[in-house]
Amino acid sequence: SLSGSIPPELGTSLPSLESLVLFSNKLSGSVPFTLGRLRNLTIFRAGANMLSGTIPPHLGTCSKLQVLGLAQNSLQGEIPKELGHLKQLVSLALWQNNLIGHIPRQLGNCSLLQLLALYNNGLSGPIPADLGQLQFMKKLYLYKNRLNGSIPRELGNYSYIEEIDISENEIGGLIPRELGSLRTLELLHLFENYFTGSMSFVGNMTCLEQLDLSINKLSGVIPQSLQYLTHLKFVRFFDNKLDGLIPPLLGEYSNLTVFDASVNRLMGSIPYNICKNKMLESLHLWSNYLIGSIPNGVKNCFSLSQLSLAQNKLMGGLPPELGELPKLGYLDLSMNFFSGKIPAEFGNSTTLQGLILSDNRLRGTLPDEFGRLSRLAILDVSGNELEGEIPPRILVNCTNLF
């Protein structure tokens, strides 16, 4: 791999240079300002090095530049507003540096831009509304910064957008309803911000596959229209203030793999067909006000690897069918009103690593069949009405518990 610095002479001795690809080396030092003299340069990639200093504004004179990649370095300072002169720029990747300051509104002049990746820096200030002018934008990654203000409604102007990730910032206010018109959007991540208001914007995103709005201050109900999004696979609303019912047909029309609506104020029952297409791998609904029993659609969900329904008002007997789920690794049904005996069939779930049944109304003894759970590392049955001794097979075979 290459080491040392990028020779400044490249900008003077090779005036016809069109492509400069230096990524994944051990280059150090600064980016030479003389590269701005390369008027035929179309590609400059020097990511995954050890470059430092600032991004030279002189790069804004490389009028034919289409790809600029300086990610995964130690670059500092602000993003030069002069980059807005790059009318041919298609891809700008500056992620994982130490960049600070505001996102230049002049980037909205890069009319052909399709990828803007500025994540994992120290950028602050609002998202410029000018970015909504980028009609060919496909992927907008601004996560893990210190951006504030609100999401500009102009971002709803995109015609070809596929992914928007603005998570892990300090953005608040209402999520603009204009985002609901982004019919090409496949991924929307807005988690760990300060968004308020409702989720009513979601229903028209007909191509949406991943939606993560966790750790915000959203309120109101989960829109019924969510259950009709046929491409939906990954949904997380963890830690908000949502209330009302989970849409009853959720999972009926999509190949849902992850659903997490824990730590909210949801009521009603668990949707019967949430695992209809046998693709659900992770279901987390703990810390809500759900009632009723575990539906057959969950009991027979053979793709399920994680199930957490703790801290609700569920009741009835523990379904023995859960012990027959071949991939189940984590099961938490604690702090509910489950009663009766612990099914011996739970001992068939040899993939289980965590089993938490505490604080229910369970009675009887621990099944001897638990001795088959050799992978079990967490077992909590406290706060019940169990009696008898711990079966010797558990003490002998479940060595990860001790």
Side-chain angles (χ1 to χ4, degrees):
S1 59
L2 298 174
S3 59
S5 59
I6 300 175
E9 294 80 11
L10 287 177
T12 55
S13 59
L14 297 171
S16 299
L17 189 65
E18 296 182 1
S19 180
L20 181 57
V21 180
L22 302 170
F23 67 88
S24 296
N25 282 289
K26 297 180 180 178
L27 296 171
S28 57
S30 60
V31 178
F33 73 89
T34 53
L35 297 184
R37 299 176 184 175
L38 299 174
R39 303 303 163 84
N40 292 307
L41 192 66
T42 59
I43 298 174
F44 177 34
R45 298 182 62 191
N49 280 288
M50 297 179 285
L51 299 173
S52 57
T54 61
I55 300 173
H58 307 75
L59 292 179
T61 61
C62 298
S63 57
K64 294 184 179 180
L65 199 59
Q66 299 176 17
V67 176
L68 176 56
L70 294 171
Q72 292 181 289
N73 281 292
S74 299
L75 297 171
Q76 300 173 339
E78 299 186 358
I79 300 172
K81 64 180 185 298
E82 288 80 2
L83 297 186
H85 298 314
L86 301 174
K87 305 294 186 182
Q88 303 299 314
L89 196 64
V90 174
S91 173
L92 177 59
L94 303 177
W95 54 276
Q96 199 171 320
N97 278 287
N98 300 312
L99 300 173
I100 59 172
H102 292 195
I103 299 173
R105 62 178 182 80
Q106 289 84 355
L107 292 181
N109 297 325
C110 301
S111 56
L112 299 181
L113 200 60
Q114 297 180 20
L115 168 69
L116 180 58
L118 306 179
Y119 60 92
N120 207 356
N121 279 289
L123 300 171
S124 58
I127 299 172
D130 304 71
L131 297 185
Q133 301 170 184
L134 302 172
Q135 58 178 326
F136 296 107
M137 180 65 72
K138 291 185 177 179
K139 297 182 180 180
L140 178 63
Y141 301 138
L142 304 178
Y143 60 92
K144 284 192 177 180
N145 280 290
R146 298 171 187 169
L147 301 173
N148 54 36
S150 58
I151 296 180
R153 63 171 185 244
E154 288 81 0
L155 297 193
N157 295 334
Y158 295 138
S159 299
Y160 304 102
I161 193 72
E162 297 172 356
E163 299 185 357
I164 295 178
D165 193 336
I166 311 178
S167 57
E168 297 179 80
N169 278 289
E170 299 169 10
I171 302 171
L174 302 177
I175 300 172
R177 57 183 176 81
E178 286 81 1
L179 294 188
S181 63
L182 300 176
R183 297 182 181 274
T184 60
L185 192 66
E186 299 173 3
L187 179 149
L188 179 62
H189 284 182
L190 302 178
F191 61 88
E192 287 193 50
N193 280 288
Y194 301 107
F195 294 115
T196 57
S198 73
M199 293 169 42
S200 58
F201 68 94
V202 170
N204 294 323
M205 297 178 170
T206 52
C207 288
L208 198 62
E209 297 180 8
Q210 295 192 36
L211 176 63
D212 196 337
L213 306 177
S214 301
I215 316 179
N216 280 288
K217 299 179 180 180
L218 297 171
S219 57
V221 301
I222 300 174
Q224 294 288 307
S225 53
L226 189 78
Q227 63 192 352
Y228 300 115
L229 299 180
T230 57
H231 297 281
L232 207 56
K233 296 179 181 178
F234 180 99
V235 182
R236 293 181 76 234
F237 303 140
F238 168 77
D239 195 4
N240 278 284
K241 299 177 181 179
L242 301 173
D243 54 29
L245 307 177
I246 301 173
L249 299 181
L250 189 68
E252 183 93 17
Y253 303 106
S254 65
N255 293 325
L256 202 61
T257 59
V258 173
F259 186 72
D260 187 345
S262 304
V263 194
N264 280 288
R265 302 168 183 173
L266 298 172
M267 300 177 289
S269 58
I270 301 169
Y272 186 85
N273 284 325
I274 197 167
C275 188
K276 179 180 179 181
N277 295 311
K278 300 293 187 281
M279 301 290 286
L280 190 65
E281 299 173 3
S282 177
L283 177 61
H284 291 266
L285 296 173
W286 58 277
S287 190
N288 280 289
Y289 300 104
L290 299 174
I291 60 173
S293 59
I294 299 175
N296 288 334
V298 173
K299 292 188 288 189
N300 299 312
C301 187
F302 295 111
S303 56
L304 204 59
S305 63
Q306 296 185 15
L307 177 61
S308 179
L309 305 176
Q311 290 179 258
N312 280 288
K313 298 181 179 182
L314 300 170
M315 59 182 62
L318 296 179
E321 294 92 339
L322 294 179
E324 308 299 334
L325 301 182
K327 298 180 181 179
L328 193 62
Y330 180 81
L331 177 62
D332 187 353
L333 303 178
S334 62
M335 300 180 70
N336 280 287
F337 299 104
F338 291 113
S339 57
K341 295 183 178 182
I342 300 176
E345 287 85 351
F346 278 21
N348 297 331
S349 188
T350 55
T351 55
L352 265 181
Q353 299 179 38
L355 177 59
I356 306 174
L357 304 174
S358 57
D359 297 301
N360 280 286
R361 297 174 178 175
L362 302 173
R363 56 183 175 78
T365 60
L366 275 181
D368 181 68
E369 288 82 358
F370 274 23
R372 302 173 188 158
L373 305 178
S374 59
R375 299 185 184 182
L376 202 61
I378 301 171
L379 175 62
D380 189 349
V381 294
S382 61
N384 284 288
E385 302 170 14
L386 300 173
E387 58 186 10
E389 298 181 352
I390 298 174
R393 288 178 65 189
I394 295 179
L395 300 175
V396 173
N397 296 334
C398 303
T399 55
N400 292 327
L401 287 172
F402 310 104

